[in-house]
Amino acid sequence: MSKQDSVIVAGGGIGGLAAALALVRRGFSVEVLEQAAEIGEIGAGIQLGPNAFHAFDALGVGEAARRRSVFTDEMVMHDALDESLVARVPTGEAFRQRFGNPYAVIHRADVHLSLLEGAQATGRVRFLTSTRVEKVEQDADGVTVYDQHGKAHRGVALIAADGVRSVVRQQLVGDPPRVSGHVVYRAVVDRKDFPEDLQWNAASIWVGPNYHLVHYPLRGGEQYNVVVTFHSRNAEEWGVTEGSREEVVSYYTDTCPRARRLIDLPKSWKRWATADREPIGQWSFGRITLLGDAAHPCCNIWRKARAWRWRMR
């Protein structure tokens, strides 16, 4: 395989851009196919362990990611009913020295921007927007991807980072996304509107029965990420919509007043009805590899934390 051959990446999100940068550093040129009209990222905050910064450094965007991150001093878990402290994990200077990098929080858009800038700077990543993958074929020499207009895109390999509703996975595996019943509300709140007694430099979670609340600082502490998650009492369909404060309130009637204040802060919410998939035994099929949510979508981490806490009661 010639190092000058092009690899196709389906999906211009965080996973797709990281894959593109990694491929460029191995000598390949890359064509990114993105179904949206613009390359961008939606959502709010994300937490990054030290290994994430090792990966950013390997991709050449470590300093940009650090500049846009908030390095936390600790991770804390509280009981959402009685406000008691469940666990505290220091992530300050001693943590950073031990692991060589920080535990940090950052806006998803800032992660994406750091990767996008890095990809654009290489001059070897071509972006095609408003391009939706419809079908893929492969042979001994490469992969052909057909978009919604019937146009063929040819490459030596395909990285399918096209999300939980991956067209590529559907063709190769044939399993449908599984709506989880978990609903996530996300918002970003300016510091001036955030309670001073909760302005901790920490990744914070309040855990209750079938729900949790998360908050932490973003963008130099000028904003705070607020996330509330619960298991819906209704049948759900995967998707993102505008949220309803009244719905959130109805799930948090037993929450302690201090944590409950988080619900009143956002001026608007985005509502994610989440989905995942059953695990599969392989992610690579000849010259095609699944990546990110196309390979291993999972929304069960919060559920494990909640189950652990309530077994302790």
Side-chain angles (χ1 to χ4, degrees):
M1 182 185 297
S2 168
K3 291 296 185 181
Q4 299 306 313
D5 289 328
S6 179
V7 176
I8 299 172
V9 174
I14 289 174
L17 293 184
L21 269 173
L23 287 163
V24 167
R25 276 161 172 70
R26 294 299 299 269
F28 295 93
S29 59
V30 180
E31 183 174 78
V32 176
L33 309 181
E34 169 56 45
Q35 66 178 342
E38 296 181 358
I39 301 290
E41 180 63 63
I42 63 173
I46 187 171
Q47 302 181 45
L48 300 175
N51 57 326
F53 291 95
H54 290 300
F56 288 144
D57 286 338
L59 297 175
V61 298
E63 289 311 308
R66 289 181 181 86
R67 187 172 63 250
R68 294 176 170 127
S69 300
V70 175
F71 296 179
T72 61
D73 293 326
E74 59 184 358
M75 294 183 284
V76 293
M77 176 187 287
H78 286 88
D79 187 305
L81 301 187
D82 62 18
E83 202 176 314
S84 61
L85 178 66
V86 178
R88 168 175 282 129
V89 179
T91 58
E93 189 56 35
F95 178 98
R96 295 164 203 159
Q97 289 294 326
R98 176 176 180 179
F99 294 105
N101 267 309
Y103 193 93
V105 288
I106 187 173
H107 200 291
R108 290 184 66 93
D110 291 337
V111 175
H112 189 271
L113 178 60
S114 299
L115 293 167
L116 179 60
E117 289 174 344
Q120 291 171 331
T122 68
R124 300 192 63 188
V125 181
R126 180 181 178 222
F127 295 94
L128 296 178
T129 56
S130 300
T131 303
R132 186 179 69 252
V133 174
E134 291 288 334
K135 184 177 69 171
V136 299
E137 296 176 350
Q138 62 176 315
D139 53 41
D141 299 317
V143 178
T144 304
V145 178
Y146 297 92
D147 65 24
Q148 76 271 31
H149 305 297
K151 181 179 179 180
H153 307 264
R154 183 72 176 173
V156 294
L158 168 65
I159 307 296
D162 52 340
V164 72
R165 282 182 168 172
S166 170
V167 171
V168 180
R169 175 163 174 159
Q170 186 61 35
Q171 180 178 327
L172 296 175
V173 182
D175 62 329
R178 177 182 61 185
V179 177
S180 69
H182 305 324
V183 173
V184 182
Y185 272 68
R186 294 185 175 98
V188 175
V189 178
D190 291 338
R191 181 172 63 180
K192 63 181 178 59
D193 298 321
F194 202 81
E196 289 188 11
D197 64 325
L198 293 178
Q199 290 185 16
W200 308 329
N201 187 32
S204 309
I205 185 169
W206 302 76
V207 183
N210 290 310
Y211 68 72
H212 70 246
L213 307 93
V214 172
H215 59 95
Y216 49 79
L218 297 172
R219 293 174 168 164
E222 292 304 311
Q223 294 179 323
Y224 280 81
N225 190 50
V226 178
V227 181
V228 299
T229 305
F230 54 83
H231 190 79
S232 178
R233 62 176 73 96
N234 302 313
E236 295 288 339
E237 294 185 8
W238 184 88
V240 183
T241 60
E242 294 299 320
S244 159
R245 179 185 175 279
E246 288 70 28
E247 180 185 30
V248 176
V249 168
S250 73
Y251 283 90
Y252 290 84
T253 56
D254 58 357
T255 307
C256 66
R258 195 177 191 192
R260 190 177 167 83
R261 280 183 297 164
L262 296 167
I263 296 171
D264 297 322
L265 296 176
K267 296 180 173 62
S268 64
W269 292 97
K270 284 291 185 183
R271 183 189 194 272
W272 275 258
T274 63
D276 58 15
R277 290 180 184 263
E278 293 290 347
I280 52 177
Q282 66 182 87
W283 298 339
S284 295
F285 305 83
R287 291 173 176 265
I288 302 172
T289 293
L290 306 177
L291 183 147
D293 281 349
H296 49 80
C298 180
C299 58
N300 294 326
I301 294 175
W302 77 271
R303 186 167 56 187
K304 294 175 183 176
R306 180 262 301 167
W308 171 82
R309 172 54 180 156
W310 293 99
R311 282 198 299 270
M312 299 299 102
R313 291 182 68 84

